[in-house]
Amino acid sequence: MEKKNILKFCKKCLMPHTRPRQTFNKEGVCGACEWNDLKLSSVDWNKRWEELIKICERHKKRNKGRHNVLVPYSGGKDGAYITYMLKHKLGMNPLCVTIRPPLEEEIGIQNIQNFIAKGYEHVMITTNREVEKKIDKIHFIDRGIPMHAFMIAVQTAIYRASIIFDIPFVMYAEEGDAEYGGSTKLRNSPTYNKSDGINFYLSGFDPNKELSNFSKEETYWFTYPDEQELENKTKPELHHWSYFKNFVNYDHYLIAKEHCGLNEKKERSPGSIENFSTTDTYLVRLYYYFMYLKFGFGRVLSECTNDIRRGAMTRNQAINISRKLDGEKPGDDHIKMYLDYYSMDLESFNDVIDKWANKDLFYKNNEGIWTPKFELN
């Protein structure tokens, strides 16, 4: 089939218009590249760092003698880097909280242990695994989101942990819409609220309204506390590190490797060009494959766009790499894991893939493989 100009690609970085909430300016530049230019030319990072110092000082006084900032930590480079900076550059006493994902990857578990051995204090939350599987299977089939339960808990369980430990200062990593393209609402905001979390990070899914088929006990970690639970409690202040300091993934990797015990793989992760990112769960590979089939771009293209913006790759290099590697289907060994996790047979599993593949962007070739109709350009 002849490739068609179906997708509109950013003139600078190659990100297509199909990314949710993506915007393009009149020059054909996506919101992420536009923001990157503004970060380099207009944002006063010194002023923002001074803001962070003041926030830290306020919480040092509030939580004197105990943990004063909570850092969501997956075992990867960003959480490790942020914790290092908060502790060693800002004098904070951070508590790291890991929400355990399904189908944990061994290197991710080892990196958490390495991190703890470096002197960082840490707790791990394991949600109800049976409920997690049920939510994920429903959302895999009905919403085309393979690991939604974990994504929900990264918002809701962290919110609850902030209240349980009485650490209202929460520091997440990057604000995804600002950094990678999407809504501009939070570009210049150090914090976000629950509604933002639902709309931007949970695909509009409000767990308190839409998980009513489970009991409150079953969904404790998958829902936000209600107003009665919040009575006389200090509500979390949800921050993004990317507001205070320019967010460069590779720089975080170097710091995390040197100071926090981060190990990378010997080879790149399937579906990726990197060997140091997304090492927490095997299920993320299915998530990125679905992203590719739904929107026409996957993890590889996303990583390439980041490298273009930091000056480590040209757009032509990104095109060549993405044409070759983007949208890699998970291997048979991973498919077997997914079938066991969802309690599905291969035919039913493939039916779900077929259901969510974007027929405007892909067609099935003679070998039954979903193949792009579009050409990267």
Side-chain angles (χ1 to χ4, degrees), residues 2 5 55 67 104 113 116 134 138 143 146 150 175 180 186 228 231 241 258 260 264 268 284 286 297 309 314 332 377:
E2 182 181 353
N5 293 324
I55 294 169
H67 297 111
E104 291 164 297
Q113 296 305 317
I116 294 170
K134 290 176 181 177
I138 292 169
R143 298 176 67 91
F150 170 71
E175 200 297 290
Y180 310 127
L186 298 176
Q228 185 176 355
E231 191 174 354
W241 181 264
E258 181 179 0
C260 305
E264 65 279 284
R268 69 180 181 89
V284 75
L286 182 62
F297 72 97
R309 291 187 205 108
T314 68
D332 291 342
N377 57 58

Side-chain angles (χ1 to χ4, degrees), residues 23 25 36 42 59 100 121 159 174 178 197 204 229 261 311 325 331 337:
T23 60
N25 64 21
N36 190 62
S42 302
H59 286 281
R100 290 181 64 195
E121 298 189 43
Y159 199 97
E174 76 270 47
E229 293 177 83
L325 298 176
M337 291 183 194

Side-chain angles (χ1 to χ4, degrees), residues 65-310:
R66 60 191 183 89
H67 297 111
N68 46 32
V69 59
L70 190 152
V71 182
Y73 168 69
S74 69
K77 63 188 185 316
D78 296 327
Y81 161 81
I82 290 166
T83 306
Y84 170 82
M85 293 292 287
L86 285 165
K87 182 175 182 177
H88 296 288
K89 303 300 180 182
L90 290 159
M92 297 295 284
N93 184 18
L95 178 65
C96 298
V97 178
T98 296
I99 311 301
R100 290 181 64 195
L103 301 183
E104 291 164 297
E105 192 165 357
E106 292 78 10
I107 188 173
I109 297 171
Q110 185 59 56
N111 278 334
I112 292 174
Q113 296 305 317
N114 295 348
F115 178 75
I116 294 170
K118 292 289 186 179
Y120 296 100
E121 298 189 43
H122 172 268
V123 297
M124 187 172 280
I125 295 174
T126 307
T127 60
N128 185 319
R129 291 303 204 191
E130 290 186 350
V131 173
E132 178 182 58
K133 282 186 178 183
K134 290 176 181 177
I135 294 172
D136 273 345
K137 184 172 183 179
I138 292 169
H139 287 219
F140 172 60
I141 295 171
D142 294 343
R143 298 176 67 91
I145 306 177
M147 46 184 284
H148 211 190
F150 170 71
M151 296 164 66
I152 292 168
V154 167
Q155 296 297 319
T156 56
I158 293 295
Y159 199 97
R160 286 189 179 276
S162 168
I163 295 167
I164 291 169
F165 291 106
D166 190 28
I167 309 173
F169 183 21
V170 179
M171 184 64 80
Y172 281 92
E174 76 270 47
E175 200 297 290
D177 273 39
E179 294 300 312
Y180 310 127
S183 171
T184 62
K185 178 183 178 183
L186 298 176
R187 279 184 181 179
N188 296 300
S189 175
T191 60
Y192 73 99
N193 58 36
K194 283 195 298 184
S195 295
D196 295 327
I198 289 168
N199 292 328
F200 298 154
Y201 315 133
L202 300 183
S203 303
F205 183 87
D206 184 343
N208 289 50
K209 294 179 180 178
E210 301 193 53
L211 291 178
S212 58
N213 50 325
F214 297 96
S215 69
K216 291 190 71 172
E217 292 77 11
E218 288 177 316
T219 58
Y220 177 81
W221 291 118
F222 298 110
T223 54
Y224 292 103
D226 57 31
E227 290 304 314
Q228 185 176 355
E229 293 177 83
L230 289 172
E231 191 174 354
N232 299 320
K233 304 288 185 181
T234 302
K235 293 183 180 181
E237 301 171 17
L238 307 174
H239 297 75
H240 281 116
W241 181 264
S242 59
Y243 171 82
F244 300 103
K245 191 169 178 60
N246 195 12
F247 202 85
V248 182
N249 288 277
Y250 190 73
D251 292 350
H252 301 174
Y253 157 68
L254 295 177
I255 293 293
K257 182 174 175 61
E258 181 179 0
H259 297 287
C260 305
L262 183 78
N263 287 328
E264 65 279 284
K265 298 178 182 179
K266 293 181 180 178
E267 299 177 346
R268 69 180 181 89
S269 298
S272 171
I273 59 171
E274 298 174 346
N275 64 348
F276 56 82
S277 295
T278 58
T279 57
D280 50 347
T281 168
Y282 289 105
L283 198 55
V284 75
R285 291 163 200 171
L286 182 62
Y287 174 85
Y288 287 126
Y289 182 57
F290 261 60
M291 183 171 79
Y292 176 72
L293 291 179
K294 291 162 74 174
F295 303 115
F297 72 97
R299 177 72 180 183
V300 168
L301 188 145
S302 297
E303 290 169 346
C304 287
T305 62
N306 291 339
D307 282 348
I308 291 171
R309 291 187 205 108
R310 72 181 180 91

